[in-house]
Amino acid sequence: MAEDLRTDPPTTGDERTILTTMLDWHRATLHHKCAGLTDDELRRQAVPSSDVTLLGLLRHLAGVERWWFQVVIAGEDAPAPYDTDGFSKLDESTGDQARTVLDEHVARSRDITAARSLEAGGRHPRTGEPFTLRWVLVHMIEEYSRHNGHADLIREAIDGETGE
């Protein structure tokens, strides 16, 4: 695996700092899990019982970033980055393309987060259910944590690399 360039989040600080740096650490963890692999390796269905791939995770999380920050919190009519949930039609993307799309959505998520209080709210466009930015940040930490666990298993099955 490539050199680990992640910065550990602080163990003390205000709520916004803890939430945003923890989320950024998990975002960086996904990139770390995908580092140094070829496009074919990123596309590999390495766990026999699952069709989830590292490339699929990169694509899926770009869509999740877009949905929660741009659509729900900011109320934007932002187009989906892929015409699926991100897990399928992987032959249309390279690892570099998927990383770029994810990074673009993460940058927009950071801008939206920086411009709002944790109490700022948005609504689910179909159900009208309210969500605060605080809830979205916690949910995104959970989302990345879960998928980073998937990434651990996939990466280990591809080349034996393990680690936090």
Side-chain angles (χ1 to χ4, degrees):
M1 204 173 309
E3 179 185 356
D4 188 352
L5 301 175
R6 295 173 296 171
T7 301
D8 288 336
T11 57
T12 61
D14 63 78
E15 183 180 18
R16 176 181 290 274
T17 298
I18 296 297
L19 290 172
T20 58
T21 59
M22 185 63 72
L23 178 54
D24 280 341
W25 187 86
H26 282 286
R27 288 167 169 155
T29 296
L30 181 64
H31 279 298
H32 181 64
K33 295 294 176 186
C34 297
L37 296 175
T38 67
D39 287 341
D40 286 339
E41 289 170 323
L42 290 170
R43 282 189 196 93
R44 188 175 302 160
Q45 293 173 264
V47 178
S49 61
S50 174
D51 63 356
V52 176
T53 66
L54 292 171
L55 182 59
L57 289 174
L58 290 166
R59 290 166 47 106
H60 170 71
L61 286 161
V64 172
E65 291 274 354
R66 169 224 164 241
W67 175 258
W68 285 108
F69 291 99
Q70 295 173 46
V71 175
V72 174
I73 294 298
E76 298 173 359
D77 185 22
Y82 302 102
D83 62 356
T84 68
D85 65 3
F87 289 117
S88 55
K89 297 184 182 181
L90 298 180
D91 57 337
E92 297 175 5
S93 291
T94 67
D96 287 342
Q97 290 167 335
R99 286 181 191 95
T100 297
V101 170
L102 176 57
D103 289 346
E104 289 168 353
H105 285 283
V106 166
R108 183 69 184 118
S109 297
R110 287 182 180 131
D111 290 345
I112 290 167
T113 298
R116 289 165 174 76
S117 76
L118 295 176
E119 296 300 319
R123 294 202 175 271
H124 189 288
R126 290 188 293 272
T127 67
E129 185 176 5
F131 291 92
T132 64
L133 177 58
R134 176 184 288 106
W135 186 94
V136 169
L137 289 168
V138 171
H139 174 69
M140 291 299 292
I141 292 167
E142 177 272 331
E143 182 87 11
Y144 273 92
S145 296
R146 179 169 16 96
H147 289 312
N148 282 335
H150 298 142
D152 280 337
L153 294 173
I154 296 167
R155 179 68 191 245
E156 184 176 6
I158 290 171
D159 66 4
E161 289 289 336
T162 61
E164 187 174 4

